[in-house]
Amino acid sequence: MRFKLILKSVFHYMKHRKFAVAVSVVSIALAFTFLSFTGSVLFAFAHSASDNGIKYPLIIGAEGTSDTQLVMSTVFHLDKPHGLITDDVYKEILADKKHVIDAYPIAVADNYKSIQLIGTNQQFVDWIGKGYVAKDSSVKGDLLSDDDIHRVVVGYEAAERASLAVGDTFSGSHGMVGSAHAHHHANFKYKVAGILAKVNGPEDYAIYSNYKAVWAVHDNMHHEHSEHHDEHAEAKTEPHDETAEHHNEHAEHHAEGEEEHHHEKGMLTSGKLTAIVVRTVNPIATVEMESIYSAREGTTAVNTSKTVRRLIEYMNTAEKAVGIFSYAVLVIVLLMISVTIMMGINERKRDLALMRSLGVGRTAISSMVVIETFIITALGLLLGIVVGPLLLLYFKPALDAAMTVNIEPFIITNIEIMGIIVTLIASQILALIGMIRIYSMNLVEEIAKN
Amino acid sequence: MKKVIIAVAAVLVFVTVLTVLRPGKKGSEENVLPERTEQKDDLVKMVEEAEKAKETVKEPDSSEKVEKQEVLPEGEGDISLRDSYSQHGQNSFIKPNMKVTKGKTPEKIATVEANFAKPLSITFFGLKKIFMYHHIKGFYPDKIANGFNGIAATVIGTIMPVETVPESGEMKRFWLANPKVVMSGCIFCNPPTLADIIYVYHPDKPEKPFQIDREKLYKQVTMVEMTGRFFIVPGSVAGTEYLFSMELKDYKILN
């Protein structure tokens, strides 16, 4: 009966301070939503990293490439490849039946609307893919066979982003990101032969072609450049007035394309690859091959699991830092709520004194603070639990595309569970402080003072 | 004054609660490894007993020796390794990329019935011992070859997925790896061998399907104690090759 009365009284006061209560609830919900975002994004990163460590056990690239750069460029398509290796290495790896189940060539140099064009083979697409949502029915056999190197297979999200459908044709631009100044490979047209089913990974955001197509494009580009240089050399002998403009254009062209032109460093022409993805027979074979190809001149090998584990360790540290920050925000919000509640109590001292004179005990009166704090905190958390995943669901497409991961909005991560526990405990500790203050307060004297 | 003491006490309680509930503490190496080192190493004992028994047996005559040498793997590396072992015994240098001798021993290995009432406790240290024995001599000790394949055993190790983990967290096959392989900073300094990984798989109708919290699997080193039938016959599943395998019966996640 008494508890019911106290509860009724609490709801009555909350109703009177609607705005303050609403602000408090929303503050907790927002702080919790931030925590929820952090937990889900970091989980998606760890998930993607771990899955790709399984899919791409070993990556072999050019000597001098860092582990992270090789993994980022080959697996996540987030960085540019560094240097080239010859396809003899690929052939040699394919022949190594002791260590290798299969190996896939990777040749990356171009993009289409900032989506990376990855030169590889049909086996690679079969390994990473889960079938097709659309396929050119006129093609007999493999889509990326050597019969027609113009055919490409497009990742699910890439097809949506670039509005590509089966049968569409396009040409790539040189470099990893779309740029107005980038060299446009207009002479070589790609034709969409298939759209991959969604795999919830970085593969959704790429376009796959036959690696020999990448060679053909760059052999052609190399040839064009040689001719262009010859023309330029000849032009130097002509009168200055006529060629001044051409000279400037040539200089600009070279300055703008410095990064993307591998002209001096070595173009991705026939017989060259940017990386080789190796599927090994077991983790021991991965370690052995990593050791062999890291020691060899001209190549470097990356054990993806090891690199991914290191990335996850960094992320765990980041998660702890963000977690502490988020908990601190939650505690600050709770402190503000406590102050608001205490101010509210000061305002209703007269009512409380009346209740006291009617025989309601000190404990019952002081427990009102605890109940009110608990209700506000619980409502805030509930709102955060509901709103957080919904907001994440709304932002998912943009976040997935930006980070090439698959965010699962409705997963409850450990950081969120900890957030709920910390918020509830902290709120009750703060409420207890308020409760003690009211318990030790002589309400009649306090009113008399006023 | 009283209020200040109460406030300080409340803050202390809060900090203590936060410290106790701190995530990641459970997954630390210190919390897990002591259990592993305390584990009784039955396998090492078995190998040592087998070696002792061999020492007491009289040397075979020269014709027997020739016959045995024909069974051993051929190649210069193997011979030098064998010579090294005969000269230096157990302390001989073992190359990290040593190849397991295949096709010689499986037919000699007997499969035993599993007695899950008294499972054998196995450690990776013990497995390395029999792996090296097999490598150098080309066959397992009799006690291992006749009484070990298919035995009920328990092993403690870390989980390494073989394939993408489904959202349910149920894994049908995975590697159980020596924690040192996963936790050590430099795997080149301590190169793992096939004895450092066990291929664990579900039987067709598992009594207790292996299920794991994905977040734990992705973000920390997950230690488990596996109980099942242990096999020493090399095999291959969808291109994945293993030397030791275990058919899972029961498991306990330790962190």
Side-chain angles (χ1 to χ4, degrees):
Chain A
M1 182 64 190
R2 186 169 290 177
F3 181 73
K4 210 174 168 184
L5 179 79
I6 292 166
L7 209 61
K8 209 173 168 184
S9 168
V10 167
F11 279 116
H12 176 78
Y13 284 117
M14 281 172 72
K15 206 175 163 187
H16 264 271
R17 298 188 303 114
K18 266 185 264 178
F19 183 71
V21 170
V23 168
S24 302
V25 168
V26 170
S27 305
I28 292 179
L30 283 176
F32 188 78
T33 302
F34 177 68
L35 202 66
S36 183
F37 257 67
T38 309
S40 296
V41 169
L42 290 174
F43 175 80
F45 264 125
H47 180 191
S48 177
S50 182
D51 272 4
N52 288 307
I54 299 163
K55 267 193 278 187
Y56 306 78
L58 185 78
I59 303 169
I60 293 170
E63 190 179 6
T65 317
S66 77
D67 293 6
T68 320
Q69 190 177 20
L70 201 52
V71 170
M72 284 296 172
S73 64
T74 312
V75 179
F76 295 99
H77 319 309
L78 290 175
D79 205 345
K80 60 182 180 185
H82 172 95
L84 301 167
I85 49 174
T86 62
D87 74 332
D88 294 339
V89 181
Y90 168 61
K91 286 172 191 160
E92 187 188 314
I93 290 168
L94 262 186
D96 182 359
K97 296 295 172 202
K98 182 191 163 193
H99 294 105
V100 178
I101 299 174
D102 208 352
Y104 313 106
I106 303 289
V108 187
D110 300 335
N111 77 87
Y112 173 65
K113 290 185 178 176
S114 295
I115 299 165
Q116 280 199 13
L117 273 162
I118 295 163
T120 183
N121 59 14
Q122 184 64 41
Q123 287 74 28
F124 180 74
V125 173
D126 292 343
W127 166 241
I128 53 131
K130 289 180 179 170
Y132 298 90
V133 286
K135 200 174 170 183
D136 188 346
S137 53
S138 66
V139 179
K140 299 274 181 284
D142 293 341
L143 296 182
L144 299 187
S145 69
D146 291 350
D147 302 342
D148 181 0
I149 59 170
H150 291 263
R151 287 197 291 253
V152 292
V153 168
V154 187
Y156 185 85
E157 296 289 349
E160 289 216 338
R161 201 202 278 184
S163 307
L164 288 171
V166 172
D168 287 355
T169 56
F170 65 92
S171 52
S173 309
H174 203 63
M176 296 298 107
V177 286
S179 159
H181 307 299
H183 180 92
H184 197 62
H185 300 300
N187 295 339
F188 194 97
K189 292 278 178 200
Y190 290 107
K191 188 183 176 191
V192 179
I195 310 281
L196 284 171
K198 201 171 166 67
V199 294
N200 290 324
E203 298 83 5
D204 289 333
Y205 302 90
I207 300 172
Y208 298 94
S209 70
N210 187 317
Y211 65 103
K212 286 172 185 165
V214 180
W215 288 354
V217 169
H218 295 90
D219 283 344
N220 193 25
M221 183 181 168
H222 184 68
H223 182 67
E224 279 174 18
H225 257 263
S226 302
E227 281 182 354
H228 180 59
H229 274 273
D230 290 344
E231 276 174 24
H232 187 72
E234 280 170 20
K236 276 185 176 175
T237 58
E238 289 171 16
H240 283 275
D241 291 346
E242 287 173 30
T243 57
E245 202 179 324
H246 180 69
H247 271 289
N248 290 338
E249 271 177 21
H250 188 86
E252 268 177 37
H253 175 64
H254 275 265
E256 284 161 355
E258 192 65 40
E259 197 183 322
E260 63 207 31
H261 282 204
H262 301 203
H263 201 59
E264 296 301 324
K265 292 179 190 171
M267 189 95 75
L268 186 53
T269 47
S270 290
K272 293 190 182 142
L273 299 168
T274 49
I276 301 162
V277 171
V278 186
R279 268 175 71 204
T280 50
V281 293
N282 56 43
I284 308 305
T286 309
V287 172
E288 285 178 9
M289 286 194 77
E290 184 190 11
S291 171
I292 294 165
Y293 286 93
S294 291
R296 181 193 275 206
E297 202 176 322
T299 59
T300 191
V302 177
N303 183 339
T304 316
S305 301
K306 202 172 69 175
T307 309
V308 154
R309 212 162 38 238
R310 209 168 51 236
L311 285 173
I312 290 172
E313 275 170 24
Y314 295 148
M315 280 194 291
N316 284 348
T317 313
E319 186 178 355
K320 273 181 195 164
V322 175
I324 289 167
F325 175 72
S326 307
Y327 299 146
V329 170
L330 273 167
V331 171
I332 290 165
V333 168
L334 289 169
L335 272 169
M336 285 167 64
I337 292 166
S338 302
V339 169
T340 318
I341 290 171
M342 290 308 290
M343 282 167 69
I345 284 165
N346 282 339
E347 282 169 17
R348 57 185 201 245
K349 269 180 193 170
R350 206 176 285 270
D351 300 348
L352 295 176
L354 190 65
M355 282 169 78
R356 187 84 185 85
S357 62
L358 286 171
V360 181
R362 278 167 181 257
T363 317
I365 289 174
S366 51
S367 63
M368 283 169 68
V369 185
V370 176
I371 295 167
E372 193 174 334
T373 312
F374 179 78
I375 291 170
I376 291 172
T377 313
L379 281 174
L381 286 174
L382 271 174
L383 190 67
I385 290 167
V386 175
V387 171
L390 290 175
L391 273 176
L392 209 52
L393 189 69
Y394 179 74
F395 289 115
K396 180 180 155 59
L399 289 171
D400 282 359
M403 296 182 287
T404 64
V405 294
N406 172 41
I407 291 173
E408 295 173 44
F410 297 102
I411 192 162
I412 294 176
T413 57
N414 287 337
I415 197 171
E416 287 169 84
I417 295 167
M418 276 297 294
I420 294 171
I421 295 168
V422 167
T423 312
L424 287 174
I425 292 173
S427 70
Q428 289 313 293
I429 289 171
L430 291 169
L432 272 174
I433 296 168
M435 183 184 170
I436 291 163
R437 194 174 160 232
I438 294 173
Y439 190 86
S440 57
M441 207 185 262
N442 188 332
L443 289 165
V444 181
E445 267 183 25
E446 291 281 333
I447 290 161
K449 269 186 210 170
N450 294 333
Chain B
M1 187 61 190
K2 202 177 160 187
K3 286 176 195 169
V4 174
I5 293 168
I6 291 165
V8 169
V11 170
L12 281 175
V13 169
F14 180 61
V15 170
T16 314
V17 169
L18 273 185
T19 313
V20 170
L21 295 173
R22 183 165 60 93
K25 193 184 176 189
K26 284 190 286 180
S28 70
E29 192 173 339
E30 299 84 51
N31 277 16
V32 176
L33 288 184
E35 287 185 41
R36 190 170 61 85
T37 49
E38 280 164 21
Q39 198 188 14
K40 215 174 151 189
D41 208 333
D42 298 341
L43 191 62
V44 175
K45 278 182 195 165
M46 281 176 79
V47 179
E48 282 170 357
E49 276 172 22
E51 279 174 347
K52 269 184 194 170
K54 287 254 175 207
E55 279 169 18
T56 55
V57 174
K58 68 173 183 64
E59 278 286 305
D61 56 33
S62 57
S63 61
E64 276 178 3
K65 264 187 179 175
V66 170
E67 207 178 299
K68 192 167 267 181
Q69 275 184 1
E70 280 172 5
V71 177
L72 288 170
E74 288 177 2
E76 223 174 65
D78 294 320
I79 291 164
S80 67
L81 210 61
R82 190 175 60 227
D83 292 344
S84 169
Y85 188 78
S86 62
Q87 281 170 28
H88 309 291
Q90 288 174 41
N91 296 323
S92 64
F93 178 72
I94 305 296
K95 288 181 178 177
N97 58 349
M98 283 190 334
K99 200 173 81 178
V100 177
T101 312
K102 286 177 187 169
K104 305 270 184 197
T105 50
E107 64 274 14
K108 293 179 189 170
I109 295 169
T111 304
V112 295
E113 284 296 314
N115 176 16
F116 285 103
K118 202 183 170 188
L120 183 80
S121 177
I122 294 174
T123 63
F124 284 100
F125 179 69
L127 287 181
K128 200 155 196 164
K129 198 134 181 158
I130 64 164
F131 168 76
M132 285 180 174
Y133 190 103
H134 182 277
H135 245 308
I136 292 153
K137 302 211 172 188
F139 52 86
Y140 286 118
D142 289 345
K143 209 168 177 182
I144 298 289
N146 297 322
F148 199 58
N149 193 46
I151 202 165
T154 59
V155 199
I156 291 177
T158 58
I159 300 287
M160 281 171 74
V162 176
E163 57 202 357
T164 308
V165 184
E167 279 186 25
S168 64
E170 199 177 309
M171 294 164 78
K172 290 199 170 107
R173 59 191 194 119
F174 53 88
W175 296 108
L176 186 71
N178 185 347
K180 276 192 176 173
V181 174
V182 181
M183 288 173 173
S184 66
C186 170
I187 52 168
F188 291 99
C189 311
N190 182 23
T193 64
L194 282 173
D196 287 307
I197 50 168
I198 301 167
Y199 180 81
V200 183
Y201 60 94
H202 267 179
D204 293 337
K205 287 176 186 171
E207 281 177 35
K208 189 181 174 185
F210 184 78
Q211 201 157 20
I212 194 161
D213 173 10
R214 284 189 302 152
E215 191 177 9
K216 187 182 272 184
L217 180 72
Y218 299 146
K219 290 187 179 175
Q220 68 183 60
V221 175
T222 313
M223 300 289 298
V224 284
E225 186 185 66
M226 292 287 165
T227 305
R229 281 193 85 183
F230 190 82
F231 297 94
I232 55 170
V233 181
S236 170
V237 177
T240 306
E241 289 181 10
Y242 56 83
L243 176 60
F244 299 122
S245 60
M246 182 181 251
E247 189 183 75
L248 183 67
K249 184 175 170 69
D250 196 11
Y251 68 93
K252 195 163 79 183
I253 293 171
L254 302 175
N255 63 332

